[in-house]
Amino acid sequence: MPKSEIMKYLSIFSAMGPCGVALGMAVQEFAAPIVDAVMLAVVAGTFVYVGATEVIPEEWEEPDHKWKKFAALMMGIGSVFAITQYTMTLEA
């Protein structure tokens, strides 16, 4: 692949972060709350999908430290649950 094409694709990729931030700020400011909720659900679902289909299976391919990895996964899930429960008490 020519260097100019690589630079073009990297520039586009690098610009997507700030564009996403700007879009998120605009949606939160001007759109209905349901649009913000839908966008958040799509992002969260994508994050969970990538983790469940790419990262976690790759970690369990090697037999080393399986129980430690499982314990770390469960602690992460428990932490997210605890934080969610705590933030729900703050809103009430």
Side-chain angles (χ1 to χ4, degrees), residues 18-63:
C19 289
V21 169
L23 178 64
M25 290 172 66
V27 165
Q28 190 167 3
E29 184 71 26
F30 301 113
I34 188 70
V35 176
D36 190 37
V38 168
M39 287 180 66
L40 183 60
V42 169
V43 169
T46 302
F47 185 76
V48 170
Y49 174 79
V50 169
T53 61
E54 297 291 330
V55 177
I56 293 174
E58 187 175 314
E59 283 297 319
W60 264 278
E61 284 180 357
E62 297 181 21

Side-chain angles (χ1 to χ4, degrees), residues 7-92:
M7 292 297 289
K8 179 179 75 171
Y9 289 132
L10 283 175
S11 297
I12 292 169
F13 177 78
S14 298
M16 290 300 112
C19 289
V21 169
L23 178 64
M25 290 172 66
V27 165
Q28 190 167 3
E29 184 71 26
F30 301 113
I34 188 70
V35 176
D36 190 37
V38 168
M39 287 180 66
L40 183 60
V42 169
V43 169
T46 302
F47 185 76
V48 170
Y49 174 79
V50 169
T53 61
E54 297 291 330
V55 177
I56 293 174
E58 187 175 314
E59 283 297 319
W60 264 278
E61 284 180 357
E62 297 181 21
D64 299 338
H65 309 293
K66 278 196 176 191
W67 287 108
K68 289 180 183 178
K69 292 176 184 179
F70 180 73
L73 176 66
M74 290 297 116
M75 287 190 312
I77 291 171
S79 298
V80 170
F81 179 75
I83 291 169
T84 303
Q85 295 302 312
Y86 175 70
T87 56
M88 289 177 68
T89 63
L90 295 177
E91 294 174 1

